[in-house]
């Protein structure tokens, strides 16, 4: 019964023709919800207000004039209930339309990303990207793992990556996920202190998935030998953070007798030159 508070097509066409007439005093077509807004504002018709009738007739309301006038007799408090019900219905309608549009957009994006994946040469077997790219391009990752099923996701420096970025890169068609990193080095960067583990608030965003899994006793493999640092220097780190780390014989063979300071333990290796080339500083 409240549909009569909306301008009909005939009324809209009538006032559209009036708006095109230069001699007409009306500037344009009335808002289709003019009477609904007027009704919700609380204006009450008591049957005696000639001006009220006149304003209705200005909009050529026949044959629905009587229906609209009856609705304007409804008390204001009852109108509020109707308005709330209509608003809830409109909200549900808009929500449904928004979800439908999002679904259509997702399908279109999936089709576009599938085309991008199909353009990858068949010989390509390794595809590199950042986790930020993966978090922003979910449809591409989905199309990629669909095109390359049972693939392996390898994440380097996993101890420095936000857990949310890693989660965003996970797809159900992956065969395995390999995390490589060191949770005893730099953690993920989080600007706000409240979200850091040291704040004690429980957010712990600067604790990576890599670190959570190790601290949760998840099985992992750790290196037990190092090849890149002189034992004289590596022993400092081993005592602080890596007590089980061993240095190899090749690292020990390269070490000269080290004096205090940096006198003879700096070497330079260049292609075509001898393996040992001590340089005095």
């Amino acid at each position: 019964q409240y549909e009569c508070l909306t301008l009909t097509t005939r009324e809209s066409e009538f006032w559209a023709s009036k708006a095109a007439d230069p001699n007409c005093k009306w500037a344009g077509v009335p808002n289709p919800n003019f009477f609904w807004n007027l009704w919700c504002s609380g204006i009450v018709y008591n049957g005696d207000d000639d001006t009220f009738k006149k304003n209705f007739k200005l909009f050529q309301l026949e044959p629905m004039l009587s229906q609209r006038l009856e609705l304007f007799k409804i008390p204001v408090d009852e109108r509020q209930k109707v308005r709330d019900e209509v608003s809830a219905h409109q909200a549900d309608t808009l929500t449904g339309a928004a979800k439908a549009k999002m679904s259509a957009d997702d399908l279109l994006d999936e089709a576009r990303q599938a085309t991008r994946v199909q353009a990858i040469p068949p010989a390509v077997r390794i595809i590199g990207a950042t986790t930020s790219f993966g978090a922003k391009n979910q449809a591409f990752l989905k199309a990629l793992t669909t095109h390359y099923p049972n693939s392996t996701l390898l994440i380097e420096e996993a101890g420095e990556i936000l857990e949310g970025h890693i989660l965003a890169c996970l797809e159900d068609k992956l065969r395995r996920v390999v995390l490589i990193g060191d949770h005893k080095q730099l953690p993920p960067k989080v600007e706000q202190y409240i979200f850091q583990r040291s704040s004690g608030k429980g957010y712990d965003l600067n604790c990576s998935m890599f670190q959570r899994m190790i601290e949760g006793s998840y099985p992992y493999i750790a290196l037990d030998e190092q090849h890149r640092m002189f034992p004289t220097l590596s022993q400092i780190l081993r005592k602080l953070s890596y007590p089980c780390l061993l240095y190899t014989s090749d690292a020990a063979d390269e070490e000269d007798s080290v004096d205090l300071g940096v006198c003879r333990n700096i070497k330079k290796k260049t292609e075509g030159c001898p393996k040992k080339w001590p340089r005095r500083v």
Side-chain angles (χ1 to χ4, degrees), residues 132-188:
S132 298
F133 174 87
K136 295 178 181 178
N137 296 270
Q138 294 285 296
F140 178 77
L141 289 182
K142 183 177 181 180
L144 194 63
T145 54
T146 301
H147 189 72
Y148 297 99
N150 299 323
S151 300
T152 296
L153 176 64
L154 177 65
I155 300 180
E156 171 69 342
E157 297 294 354
E160 300 182 32
I161 300 176
L162 291 169
E163 185 170 359
H165 280 204
I166 295 181
L167 291 174
C169 296
L170 301 183
E171 289 291 336
D172 55 359
K173 294 183 176 60
L174 288 171
R175 181 180 180 183
R176 65 172 67 89
V177 178
V178 179
L179 303 181
I180 302 176
D182 188 347
H183 64 290
K184 295 182 180 180
Q185 296 188 23
L186 294 175

Short mmCIF file of all heavy atoms in Angstrom, two decimals, residues 132-188:
data_model
loop_
_atom_site.label_atom_id
_atom_site.label_comp_id
_atom_site.label_asym_id
_atom_site.label_seq_id
_atom_site.Cartn_x
_atom_site.Cartn_y
_atom_site.Cartn_z
N SER A 132 53.82 -9.56 -0.81
CA SER A 132 52.89 -8.43 -0.97
C SER A 132 52.11 -8.57 -2.27
O SER A 132 50.90 -8.30 -2.30
CB SER A 132 53.66 -7.10 -0.96
OG SER A 132 54.32 -6.91 0.28
N PHE A 133 52.78 -8.99 -3.33
CA PHE A 133 52.09 -9.24 -4.59
C PHE A 133 51.05 -10.34 -4.42
O PHE A 133 49.92 -10.23 -4.92
CB PHE A 133 53.11 -9.63 -5.66
CG PHE A 133 52.48 -10.05 -6.97
CD1 PHE A 133 52.17 -9.10 -7.93
CD2 PHE A 133 52.20 -11.39 -7.22
CE1 PHE A 133 51.58 -9.49 -9.13
CE2 PHE A 133 51.61 -11.78 -8.41
CZ PHE A 133 51.30 -10.81 -9.37
N GLY A 134 51.43 -11.41 -3.71
CA GLY A 134 50.48 -12.49 -3.51
C GLY A 134 49.26 -12.06 -2.72
O GLY A 134 48.14 -12.48 -3.01
N ALA A 135 49.47 -11.20 -1.71
CA ALA A 135 48.35 -10.74 -0.90
C ALA A 135 47.40 -9.87 -1.70
O ALA A 135 46.20 -9.84 -1.44
CB ALA A 135 48.88 -9.97 0.31
N LYS A 136 47.92 -9.16 -2.69
CA LYS A 136 47.09 -8.26 -3.49
C LYS A 136 46.50 -8.93 -4.73
O LYS A 136 45.62 -8.36 -5.37
CB LYS A 136 47.93 -7.05 -3.94
CG LYS A 136 48.40 -6.17 -2.81
CD LYS A 136 49.26 -5.03 -3.34
CE LYS A 136 49.77 -4.16 -2.21
NZ LYS A 136 50.65 -3.06 -2.71
N ASN A 137 46.98 -10.11 -5.08
CA ASN A 137 46.55 -10.76 -6.32
C ASN A 137 46.11 -12.20 -6.03
O ASN A 137 46.70 -13.16 -6.52
CB ASN A 137 47.68 -10.74 -7.36
CG ASN A 137 48.06 -9.35 -7.79
OD1 ASN A 137 47.50 -8.79 -8.75
ND2 ASN A 137 49.01 -8.75 -7.08
N GLN A 138 45.06 -12.33 -5.23
CA GLN A 138 44.56 -13.64 -4.86
C GLN A 138 44.07 -14.43 -6.08
O GLN A 138 44.30 -15.64 -6.18
CB GLN A 138 43.42 -13.48 -3.86
CG GLN A 138 43.84 -12.90 -2.52
CD GLN A 138 44.58 -13.91 -1.68
OE1 GLN A 138 44.01 -14.93 -1.29
NE2 GLN A 138 45.83 -13.65 -1.39
N ALA A 139 43.40 -13.74 -6.99
CA ALA A 139 42.87 -14.44 -8.16
C ALA A 139 43.99 -14.99 -9.02
O ALA A 139 43.87 -16.09 -9.59
CB ALA A 139 41.99 -13.48 -8.97
N PHE A 140 45.09 -14.26 -9.11
CA PHE A 140 46.23 -14.73 -9.91
C PHE A 140 46.84 -15.98 -9.29
O PHE A 140 47.17 -16.95 -9.99
CB PHE A 140 47.28 -13.63 -10.04
CG PHE A 140 48.50 -14.05 -10.81
CD1 PHE A 140 48.48 -14.13 -12.18
CD2 PHE A 140 49.67 -14.37 -10.15
CE1 PHE A 140 49.60 -14.52 -12.90
CE2 PHE A 140 50.80 -14.76 -10.84
CZ PHE A 140 50.76 -14.83 -12.22
N LEU A 141 47.00 -15.98 -7.96
CA LEU A 141 47.55 -17.16 -7.29
C LEU A 141 46.64 -18.37 -7.45
O LEU A 141 47.11 -19.49 -7.65
CB LEU A 141 47.75 -16.86 -5.80
CG LEU A 141 48.88 -15.89 -5.44
CD1 LEU A 141 48.98 -15.76 -3.93
CD2 LEU A 141 50.20 -16.34 -6.03
N LYS A 142 45.34 -18.13 -7.37
CA LYS A 142 44.40 -19.23 -7.54
C LYS A 142 44.49 -19.81 -8.95
O LYS A 142 44.51 -21.04 -9.14
CB LYS A 142 42.97 -18.74 -7.27
CG LYS A 142 41.92 -19.82 -7.36
CD LYS A 142 40.55 -19.28 -7.01
CE LYS A 142 39.50 -20.38 -7.08
NZ LYS A 142 38.14 -19.85 -6.74
N ALA A 143 44.56 -18.92 -9.95
CA ALA A 143 44.69 -19.39 -11.33
C ALA A 143 46.02 -20.08 -11.55
O ALA A 143 46.11 -21.07 -12.28
CB ALA A 143 44.53 -18.21 -12.29
N LEU A 144 47.06 -19.58 -10.88
CA LEU A 144 48.39 -20.16 -11.04
C LEU A 144 48.46 -21.58 -10.47
O LEU A 144 48.99 -22.50 -11.11
CB LEU A 144 49.42 -19.26 -10.34
CG LEU A 144 50.90 -19.50 -10.66
CD1 LEU A 144 51.17 -19.23 -12.13
CD2 LEU A 144 51.77 -18.61 -9.79
N THR A 145 47.92 -21.76 -9.27
CA THR A 145 47.94 -23.09 -8.67
C THR A 145 46.99 -24.05 -9.36
O THR A 145 47.18 -25.27 -9.31
CB THR A 145 47.58 -23.01 -7.17
OG1 THR A 145 46.33 -22.32 -7.02
CG2 THR A 145 48.65 -22.26 -6.41
N THR A 146 45.96 -23.52 -10.00
CA THR A 146 45.07 -24.38 -10.79
C THR A 146 45.77 -24.85 -12.06
O THR A 146 45.64 -26.01 -12.47
CB THR A 146 43.79 -23.62 -11.15
OG1 THR A 146 43.12 -23.21 -9.95
CG2 THR A 146 42.84 -24.49 -11.96
N HIS A 147 46.54 -23.94 -12.67
CA HIS A 147 47.27 -24.28 -13.90
C HIS A 147 48.47 -25.19 -13.60
O HIS A 147 48.84 -26.02 -14.42
CB HIS A 147 47.74 -23.00 -14.58
CG HIS A 147 48.29 -23.21 -15.95
ND1 HIS A 147 47.50 -23.53 -17.04
CD2 HIS A 147 49.57 -23.17 -16.42
CE1 HIS A 147 48.26 -23.67 -18.12
NE2 HIS A 147 49.52 -23.45 -17.77
N TYR A 148 49.09 -25.00 -12.42
CA TYR A 148 50.22 -25.81 -12.00
C TYR A 148 49.86 -26.54 -10.70
O TYR A 148 50.30 -26.13 -9.61
CB TYR A 148 51.47 -24.96 -11.78
CG TYR A 148 51.97 -24.26 -13.01
CD1 TYR A 148 51.68 -22.92 -13.25
CD2 TYR A 148 52.77 -24.93 -13.93
CE1 TYR A 148 52.14 -22.27 -14.37
CE2 TYR A 148 53.25 -24.28 -15.06
CZ TYR A 148 52.93 -22.96 -15.27
OH TYR A 148 53.41 -22.32 -16.39
N PRO A 149 49.05 -27.59 -10.76
CA PRO A 149 48.66 -28.29 -9.52
C PRO A 149 49.85 -28.99 -8.88
O PRO A 149 50.84 -29.29 -9.54
CB PRO A 149 47.60 -29.28 -10.01
CG PRO A 149 47.92 -29.51 -11.45
CD PRO A 149 48.48 -28.21 -11.96
N ASN A 150 49.73 -29.24 -7.58
CA ASN A 150 50.78 -29.92 -6.82
C ASN A 150 52.10 -29.17 -6.86
O ASN A 150 53.17 -29.78 -6.88
CB ASN A 150 50.98 -31.36 -7.32
CG ASN A 150 49.72 -32.19 -7.17
OD1 ASN A 150 48.99 -32.05 -6.20
ND2 ASN A 150 49.46 -33.04 -8.16
N SER A 151 52.01 -27.84 -6.89
CA SER A 151 53.22 -27.02 -6.89
C SER A 151 53.75 -26.83 -5.48
O SER A 151 53.08 -27.13 -4.49
CB SER A 151 52.93 -25.66 -7.52
OG SER A 151 52.49 -25.79 -8.85
N THR A 152 54.97 -26.35 -5.39
CA THR A 152 55.61 -26.07 -4.11
C THR A 152 55.76 -24.55 -3.95
O THR A 152 56.26 -23.88 -4.85
CB THR A 152 56.99 -26.73 -4.03
OG1 THR A 152 56.82 -28.15 -4.08
CG2 THR A 152 57.69 -26.37 -2.73
N LEU A 153 55.34 -24.06 -2.83
CA LEU A 153 55.51 -22.64 -2.50
C LEU A 153 56.73 -22.51 -1.60
O LEU A 153 56.76 -23.04 -0.49
CB LEU A 153 54.27 -22.10 -1.80
CG LEU A 153 54.36 -20.64 -1.31
CD1 LEU A 153 54.53 -19.69 -2.49
CD2 LEU A 153 53.13 -20.27 -0.49
N LEU A 154 57.75 -21.82 -2.08
CA LEU A 154 58.99 -21.64 -1.34
C LEU A 154 59.09 -20.18 -0.91
O LEU A 154 59.08 -19.28 -1.75
CB LEU A 154 60.19 -22.02 -2.21
CG LEU A 154 61.58 -21.80 -1.60
CD1 LEU A 154 61.78 -22.71 -0.40
CD2 LEU A 154 62.67 -22.06 -2.65
N ILE A 155 59.17 -19.95 0.38
CA ILE A 155 59.22 -18.59 0.93
C ILE A 155 60.56 -18.38 1.61
O ILE A 155 60.87 -19.05 2.60
CB ILE A 155 58.07 -18.34 1.91
CG1 ILE A 155 56.73 -18.52 1.19
CG2 ILE A 155 58.16 -16.95 2.52
CD1 ILE A 155 55.52 -18.30 2.06
N GLU A 156 61.35 -17.47 1.08
CA GLU A 156 62.65 -17.15 1.64
C GLU A 156 62.50 -16.03 2.66
O GLU A 156 61.60 -15.21 2.58
CB GLU A 156 63.61 -16.74 0.50
CG GLU A 156 64.92 -16.18 0.94
CD GLU A 156 65.85 -17.20 1.59
OE1 GLU A 156 65.36 -18.26 2.00
OE2 GLU A 156 67.06 -16.92 1.69
N GLU A 157 63.42 -16.00 3.62
CA GLU A 157 63.38 -15.02 4.72
C GLU A 157 62.02 -15.03 5.41
O GLU A 157 61.44 -13.99 5.71
CB GLU A 157 63.71 -13.62 4.20
CG GLU A 157 65.10 -13.46 3.62
CD GLU A 157 66.21 -13.61 4.67
OE1 GLU A 157 65.88 -13.72 5.86
OE2 GLU A 157 67.39 -13.62 4.27
N ALA A 158 61.51 -16.23 5.67
CA ALA A 158 60.18 -16.35 6.26
C ALA A 158 60.11 -15.78 7.67
O ALA A 158 59.03 -15.43 8.15
CB ALA A 158 59.75 -17.82 6.28
N GLY A 159 61.25 -15.68 8.35
CA GLY A 159 61.25 -15.13 9.70
C GLY A 159 61.02 -13.64 9.73
O GLY A 159 60.75 -13.08 10.80
N GLU A 160 61.10 -12.96 8.57
CA GLU A 160 60.92 -11.50 8.51
C GLU A 160 59.60 -11.10 7.86
O GLU A 160 59.35 -9.92 7.64
CB GLU A 160 62.08 -10.87 7.73
CG GLU A 160 63.45 -11.12 8.34
CD GLU A 160 64.54 -10.42 7.56
OE1 GLU A 160 64.27 -9.34 7.00
OE2 GLU A 160 65.67 -10.95 7.49
N ILE A 161 58.76 -12.07 7.52
CA ILE A 161 57.54 -11.79 6.77
C ILE A 161 56.33 -11.85 7.71
O ILE A 161 56.23 -12.76 8.54
CB ILE A 161 57.36 -12.79 5.61
CG1 ILE A 161 58.55 -12.70 4.67
CG2 ILE A 161 56.07 -12.51 4.85
CD1 ILE A 161 58.53 -13.71 3.55
N LEU A 162 55.44 -10.91 7.58
CA LEU A 162 54.21 -10.91 8.38
C LEU A 162 53.42 -12.18 8.13
O LEU A 162 53.32 -12.66 7.00
CB LEU A 162 53.36 -9.69 8.03
CG LEU A 162 53.90 -8.33 8.45
CD1 LEU A 162 53.08 -7.22 7.81
CD2 LEU A 162 53.89 -8.17 9.96
N GLU A 163 52.85 -12.72 9.17
CA GLU A 163 52.11 -13.96 9.05
C GLU A 163 50.93 -13.83 8.10
O GLU A 163 50.61 -14.74 7.34
CB GLU A 163 51.61 -14.40 10.43
CG GLU A 163 50.93 -15.75 10.43
CD GLU A 163 50.65 -16.26 11.83
OE1 GLU A 163 51.02 -15.57 12.78
OE2 GLU A 163 50.09 -17.37 11.95
N GLY A 164 50.28 -12.67 8.11
CA GLY A 164 49.15 -12.46 7.20
C GLY A 164 49.54 -12.54 5.74
O GLY A 164 48.77 -13.01 4.90
N HIS A 165 50.75 -12.09 5.42
CA HIS A 165 51.20 -12.16 4.02
C HIS A 165 51.42 -13.60 3.58
O HIS A 165 51.16 -13.94 2.42
CB HIS A 165 52.50 -11.35 3.86
CG HIS A 165 52.27 -9.88 3.74
ND1 HIS A 165 53.15 -9.02 3.13
CD2 HIS A 165 51.23 -9.11 4.14
CE1 HIS A 165 52.67 -7.78 3.17
NE2 HIS A 165 51.51 -7.83 3.78
N ILE A 166 51.92 -14.42 4.49
CA ILE A 166 52.11 -15.83 4.14
C ILE A 166 50.77 -16.53 3.99
O ILE A 166 50.55 -17.30 3.05
CB ILE A 166 52.98 -16.52 5.20
CG1 ILE A 166 54.38 -15.93 5.19
CG2 ILE A 166 53.04 -18.03 4.95
CD1 ILE A 166 55.33 -16.56 6.20
N LEU A 167 49.85 -16.26 4.91
CA LEU A 167 48.52 -16.87 4.82
C LEU A 167 47.82 -16.48 3.52
O LEU A 167 47.09 -17.28 2.93
CB LEU A 167 47.67 -16.44 6.02
CG LEU A 167 48.09 -17.00 7.38
CD1 LEU A 167 47.25 -16.38 8.48
CD2 LEU A 167 47.97 -18.50 7.41
N ALA A 168 48.04 -15.24 3.07
CA ALA A 168 47.40 -14.78 1.84
C ALA A 168 47.93 -15.50 0.61
O ALA A 168 47.26 -15.52 -0.43
CB ALA A 168 47.59 -13.27 1.68
N CYS A 169 49.10 -16.10 0.71
CA CYS A 169 49.70 -16.79 -0.44
C CYS A 169 49.38 -18.27 -0.47
O CYS A 169 49.79 -18.97 -1.41
CB CYS A 169 51.22 -16.60 -0.42
SG CYS A 169 51.76 -14.89 -0.63
N LEU A 170 48.67 -18.77 0.53
CA LEU A 170 48.38 -20.20 0.58
C LEU A 170 47.14 -20.53 -0.23
O LEU A 170 46.11 -19.88 -0.08
CB LEU A 170 48.19 -20.65 2.04
CG LEU A 170 49.37 -20.41 2.98
CD1 LEU A 170 49.06 -20.97 4.36
CD2 LEU A 170 50.65 -21.04 2.43
N GLU A 171 47.25 -21.54 -1.07
CA GLU A 171 46.13 -22.02 -1.87
C GLU A 171 45.95 -23.51 -1.63
O GLU A 171 46.91 -24.24 -1.35
CB GLU A 171 46.38 -21.75 -3.36
CG GLU A 171 46.30 -20.28 -3.75
CD GLU A 171 44.90 -19.72 -3.68
OE1 GLU A 171 43.94 -20.51 -3.76
OE2 GLU A 171 44.76 -18.50 -3.53
N ASP A 172 44.72 -23.98 -1.74
CA ASP A 172 44.43 -25.38 -1.40
C ASP A 172 45.03 -26.37 -2.39
O ASP A 172 45.12 -27.56 -2.08
CB ASP A 172 42.92 -25.59 -1.30
CG ASP A 172 42.17 -25.17 -2.56
OD1 ASP A 172 42.84 -24.70 -3.50
OD2 ASP A 172 40.94 -25.31 -2.60
N LYS A 173 45.45 -25.92 -3.57
CA LYS A 173 46.01 -26.85 -4.56
C LYS A 173 47.52 -26.98 -4.45
O LYS A 173 48.13 -27.69 -5.24
CB LYS A 173 45.62 -26.41 -5.97
CG LYS A 173 44.13 -26.51 -6.26
CD LYS A 173 43.83 -26.13 -7.70
CE LYS A 173 42.35 -26.32 -8.02
NZ LYS A 173 41.47 -25.50 -7.17
N LEU A 174 48.13 -26.32 -3.48
CA LEU A 174 49.56 -26.45 -3.28
C LEU A 174 49.90 -27.83 -2.72
O LEU A 174 49.17 -28.36 -1.88
CB LEU A 174 50.07 -25.37 -2.32
CG LEU A 174 50.10 -23.93 -2.86
CD1 LEU A 174 50.41 -22.96 -1.73
CD2 LEU A 174 51.13 -23.79 -3.97
N ARG A 175 51.02 -28.37 -3.17
CA ARG A 175 51.45 -29.67 -2.66
C ARG A 175 52.18 -29.52 -1.34
O ARG A 175 51.99 -30.32 -0.41
CB ARG A 175 52.35 -30.35 -3.68
CG ARG A 175 52.82 -31.73 -3.26
CD ARG A 175 53.71 -32.35 -4.33
NE ARG A 175 54.17 -33.68 -3.94
CZ ARG A 175 55.00 -34.41 -4.64
NH1 ARG A 175 55.46 -33.94 -5.81
NH2 ARG A 175 55.38 -35.60 -4.22
N ARG A 176 53.04 -28.52 -1.27
CA ARG A 176 53.79 -28.29 -0.03
C ARG A 176 54.18 -26.82 0.07
O ARG A 176 54.20 -26.10 -0.94
CB ARG A 176 55.05 -29.17 0.02
CG ARG A 176 56.07 -28.83 -1.05
CD ARG A 176 57.37 -29.57 -0.85
NE ARG A 176 57.22 -31.00 -1.04
CZ ARG A 176 57.38 -31.60 -2.22
NH1 ARG A 176 57.66 -30.89 -3.29
NH2 ARG A 176 57.25 -32.90 -2.32
N VAL A 177 54.49 -26.41 1.28
CA VAL A 177 54.96 -25.06 1.56
C VAL A 177 56.28 -25.19 2.32
O VAL A 177 56.35 -25.87 3.34
CB VAL A 177 53.94 -24.25 2.38
CG1 VAL A 177 54.50 -22.86 2.70
CG2 VAL A 177 52.62 -24.14 1.64
N VAL A 178 57.31 -24.53 1.81
CA VAL A 178 58.63 -24.58 2.43
C VAL A 178 58.97 -23.18 2.93
O VAL A 178 58.98 -22.23 2.15
CB VAL A 178 59.71 -25.07 1.43
CG1 VAL A 178 61.07 -25.10 2.10
CG2 VAL A 178 59.35 -26.45 0.89
N LEU A 179 59.25 -23.08 4.22
CA LEU A 179 59.64 -21.81 4.82
C LEU A 179 61.12 -21.87 5.15
O LEU A 179 61.58 -22.78 5.84
CB LEU A 179 58.83 -21.53 6.09
CG LEU A 179 57.30 -21.51 5.96
CD1 LEU A 179 56.67 -21.21 7.31
CD2 LEU A 179 56.85 -20.49 4.93
N ILE A 180 61.87 -20.89 4.67
CA ILE A 180 63.30 -20.80 4.93
C ILE A 180 63.59 -19.48 5.61
O ILE A 180 63.16 -18.42 5.13
CB ILE A 180 64.12 -20.91 3.63
CG1 ILE A 180 63.80 -22.23 2.91
CG2 ILE A 180 65.60 -20.81 3.91
CD1 ILE A 180 64.49 -22.36 1.57
N GLY A 181 64.28 -19.52 6.71
CA GLY A 181 64.58 -18.27 7.39
C GLY A 181 65.29 -18.51 8.70
O GLY A 181 65.77 -19.60 8.98
N ASP A 182 65.36 -17.45 9.50
CA ASP A 182 66.01 -17.50 10.80
C ASP A 182 65.22 -16.62 11.75
O ASP A 182 65.25 -15.39 11.65
CB ASP A 182 67.46 -17.02 10.69
CG ASP A 182 68.23 -17.25 11.99
OD1 ASP A 182 67.60 -17.55 13.02
OD2 ASP A 182 69.47 -17.12 11.97
N HIS A 183 64.49 -17.25 12.66
CA HIS A 183 63.65 -16.48 13.58
C HIS A 183 64.45 -15.77 14.65
O HIS A 183 63.90 -14.98 15.43
CB HIS A 183 62.64 -17.42 14.25
CG HIS A 183 63.26 -18.46 15.12
ND1 HIS A 183 63.99 -19.50 14.61
CD2 HIS A 183 63.27 -18.61 16.47
CE1 HIS A 183 64.42 -20.26 15.61
NE2 HIS A 183 64.00 -19.75 16.74
N LYS A 184 65.78 -16.00 14.71
CA LYS A 184 66.61 -15.31 15.68
C LYS A 184 67.22 -14.04 15.12
O LYS A 184 67.99 -13.35 15.81
CB LYS A 184 67.73 -16.25 16.16
CG LYS A 184 67.21 -17.46 16.93
CD LYS A 184 68.34 -18.34 17.41
CE LYS A 184 67.80 -19.54 18.18
NZ LYS A 184 68.90 -20.41 18.67
N GLN A 185 66.89 -13.74 13.89
CA GLN A 185 67.36 -12.49 13.29
C GLN A 185 66.21 -11.49 13.26
O GLN A 185 65.40 -11.46 14.17
CB GLN A 185 67.94 -12.78 11.91
CG GLN A 185 69.18 -13.67 11.95
CD GLN A 185 69.86 -13.78 10.61
OE1 GLN A 185 69.72 -12.94 9.73
NE2 GLN A 185 70.61 -14.86 10.43
N LEU A 186 66.13 -10.67 12.22
CA LEU A 186 65.15 -9.59 12.19
C LEU A 186 63.72 -10.13 12.14
O LEU A 186 63.42 -11.01 11.33
CB LEU A 186 65.39 -8.69 10.98
CG LEU A 186 66.70 -7.89 10.99
CD1 LEU A 186 66.86 -7.14 9.67
CD2 LEU A 186 66.76 -6.94 12.17
N PRO A 187 62.82 -9.61 12.98
CA PRO A 187 61.41 -10.02 12.94
C PRO A 187 60.65 -9.21 11.90
O PRO A 187 61.19 -8.25 11.33
CB PRO A 187 60.92 -9.69 14.35
CG PRO A 187 61.73 -8.48 14.73
CD PRO A 187 63.08 -8.68 14.10
N PRO A 188 59.38 -9.53 11.62
CA PRO A 188 58.57 -8.69 10.73
C PRO A 188 58.48 -7.26 11.28
O PRO A 188 58.41 -7.05 12.50
CB PRO A 188 57.20 -9.38 10.73
CG PRO A 188 57.49 -10.80 11.10
CD PRO A 188 58.65 -10.75 12.04
#
